[in-house]
Structure formats: C-alpha cells, structure tokens
Amino acid sequence: MSLDVSVVGSGYVGTTLAACLADLGHDVTAIDIDEDIVEQLNAGESPIHEPGLDPLLTAYAGNSLRASTTHDSVPESDVVFLTIQTPAREDGSIDIGPLRAAAEDVGRALADAEDYTLVVVKSTVIPGMTEEELIPVLEDASGKTEGEEFGVAVNPEFQSQGSAVDDFMSPDKIVLGTDGDERALDLFAQLYESLVAQWEAPVVETGRREAAMVKYANNVFLAAKVSLINELGNICKEYDVDSYDVADAIGMDERIGAKFLRSGVGWGGSCFPKDTAAIMAAARQADYDPDLLESVVGVNEKQPRRMLGLLDEHVDVEGERVAVLGLAFKSGTDDIRGSRAKPVIEGLQERGADVVAYDPLANESMAAEYPDVTYVDSAAEALDGAHGTLVVTDWDEFAALDTEFDAMEERVVVDGRRVIARREGLTYEGLTW
C-alpha cells in the first residue's frame, strides 16, 4: 500500500531515504530549508555523491518524489521522518538544536492534520532525548497529545556512505522503536512491506530508547573492531608479520567475522567519530568512565602519526614535495568529515613539506579547509617530483598505478590502505603489514 511520506532534511540520510521510499512505491515530499537543494531535487539531480542515487532521482523527481521548502505536505502525510544532523559539540555531546527546530516546524504543521500521523526520528539521538526533548516540542507546537493524536517512533538508519542505496534496499535489519504503539507498527509494516518480503530482513520491534541505543552500539562496536585490528596490525608490523594474512584467518571464525578487519590508517566519516564521542560524553554524564572507548579513539588517533613516522624513516620532507593520495574518508564518497587525510596533511605541514594532494571526488571539499595544499587532477600529477607518497583512501584507481612512480624524486610510498602492490625499485611501507 502506498503511503504519503514527508522527509525533513535532505542531507546524506534524508536524500537517500526519500529516493528509496519513492522507489518502494510511496508518495514522498523532501523538505529542506536550502532552496538550491530543493531546486536540484525537483530537477532530478542529487545534492550529494552517492552511487545509485542519481537514477532514482531521475526516475521519480516530479512524480512520486517532490521537494519543498515548506511543510505543507506534513498535515496530509501518514509518516513524517526527521533526518536532521545532530552535530558534535566540543565535549563530544550532540547538539540537537537544529533537530528541535525541525520538530517545532513539524509540530506547527501537525496542528492542521486531521488524522493520526507518525513522526519518525531517523536522526541519531541519545536514548531519552526523543521523550525528553522532541515530544514536548511536538506537543507544544501542535497543541496535540502524543500517543493519541500523533505518534513518535525511533527508526535508526544503518546506511554507509558509498553504499547507502544498497544498504537501504537490502538491509541487515530494520529497527522499530515504538514502545508498543500498534498504529505506528502498522504504518511501518506498510512502509517497509516490500523490503521485508523481498529480502526477509529481520525486523526488531523494541522501545524508543533501545532503538536509539542500537544505532550507537552498532557504530561504536564497529569502530572498536577497526581499532582492535589496527592495534593488532601495529603489533604485527613490529614482528614482520602480514596482518592481512592474520585477519583472513581470524575472520573465518564465525564469532569474529571477516568484515571490518582491514587494518590501516583508521576510521572517519560522519558517524563513527561523532557517535563514539557522543556515547562517551553520555557515559561521563552518567558518572561512568568509558575506558575501553577512550582506547578505541586513542588507537584511531595514533594511526596517522604512525604513517608519518614511517615516512620519516626514509626521507626528510622539509621543503620537499610530498603526495597525499585520497582525501575522502572512504572510497565511493566525496565526504571528508573525519578523514584521516586531515591529520596526515597537518603532520606534513608541521614538517615543512610542500603537500600536493589528489582525490577523484574530494579535492574541492578539502581545499575549502586546507587552502595551502596544492590540489591536482590525477594521481600521476601528484606523484611527479614527489619525495614521498602517502596513500590514505582506497580508491581502485590507485591500485592501477605502475610506471607513474618512476616520476618520483624519491620512490617512497607509505600505504595506509593496502592499495599499492610491492614492486622492485619502490621503497614500500605498509602501515600494518
């Protein structure tokens, strides 16, 4: 059954959600305060880089997918998603000011709704914030009572950048935090019916606080797994052990699993750093010391420094050209939030190096933050005349580099992602192998 859906916020999560729900057969309105984003969406153009998203927008824009700067669609919607970012403060806690403002706008629009509407918190929030912060705002702005005239649920997203469309369309799980609201569960059943039927995705029905915690637990667990394999990889490096052979073996143990065992320069992005910091801040607020999570973050912060240290063992970069290959926090995206290239660039600049950088998608974004770096249009151009090279992002095109290294003054490569193959005449250092 087709539902009328409004998606408030058209960032990475909201845009992907809106397009995928339209593909599932629902009638979707994307709401954003940015007129340029709204114009792009209505033209069938994506405001973000995400594989598989452009064809969906082209197919549904102007039909079952529309965009607006107003909340006019909310009163007629069966379901309204809140997909507003919750950025981190300096102490790691999340700022829900923008989310509260969006909830207030939705609440005012709900005042005109004649039927039950389900408001779904897709944004990442600490357990309890939905009940203590957002529901009162919705009630005050709408003049209605939650649980009677409208419902509120928590439905966290588990979409990785670079594979967000595939992650949504073939989910590992769907988590529904409703506190037992049967009307909410009925709407969710209609909303995700085809996903559950096609992929037999496990559906977890739980409370709102539990659903909020699942999101944090998911990301923090994965961050810890990456930091653990990086710590093991660092030890392997000291004993001349190939950590990837070790990872392949332990990944065969079903208790461990093979995913997230590629050791290297560490994790970044919008979720792992923010969510780990947020749950640590929440723990401290509850007078609990998150010792293990502090170590998880510590290992991650250490990896770029180790990478620079390996370069120092082979060349003095002061006054010399050094190439940084890869600026996005992972391949398949142009997002530089939490990118490990940032501490690498900063470390090179502290050493007095002349930094030249290349990324297939993220040059422009990084240039806005690091204007003193030279950005070029190809890896070959970055390598030309370089005294050393650091590989930070695992773009496939870097694996195809071969004779381009001949243009380097000093053929030294420190590989943080196991992308470059060892070869004769190349001084090659793997970060953890």
Side-chain angles (χ1 to χ4, degrees), residues 112-132:
D112 296 326
E114 297 181 0
D115 299 317
Y116 174 91
T117 305
L118 177 62
V119 179
V120 180
V121 180
K122 202 79 169 173
S123 303
T124 303
V125 293
I126 294 294
M129 283 186 170
T130 295
E131 296 80 7
E132 297 162 14

Side-chain angles (χ1 to χ4, degrees), residues 86-89 91-96 124-126 129 216 274 278:
T86 51
R89 297 190 180 100
D91 65 354
S93 64
I94 64 172
D95 178 5
I96 67 164
T124 303
V125 293
I126 294 294
M129 283 186 170
Y216 282 106
K274 181 176 77 71

Side-chain angles (χ1 to χ4, degrees), residues 62-80:
N63 298 305
S64 56
L65 176 59
R66 296 166 302 282
S68 175
T69 57
T70 75
H71 292 72
D72 293 346
S73 63
V74 169
E76 305 302 322
S77 294
D78 300 298
V79 182
V80 179

Side-chain angles (χ1 to χ4, degrees), residues 321-328 334 336 339 341-342 344-346 349 354-383:
R321 178 183 176 98
V322 178
V324 176
L325 299 185
L327 303 172
D334 59 354
I336 61 168
S339 169
K342 293 181 181 182
V344 166
I345 288 172
E346 291 167 5
Q349 290 177 329
D354 176 18
V355 183
V356 57
Y358 166 70
D359 188 282
L361 295 176
N363 277 7
E364 185 176 348
S365 298
M366 193 66 88
E369 293 191 29
Y370 296 88
D372 295 336
V373 170
T374 300
Y375 299 90
V376 295
D377 296 327
S378 69
E381 190 176 352
L383 293 172

Side-chain angles (χ1 to χ4, degrees), residues 387 405-406 408-413 423-427:
H387 262 57
F405 289 110
D406 294 336
M408 295 176 65
E409 291 292 332
E410 298 286 343
R411 303 183 71 213
V412 177
V413 174
R423 65 202 67 187
E424 186 176 351
L426 189 67
T427 301

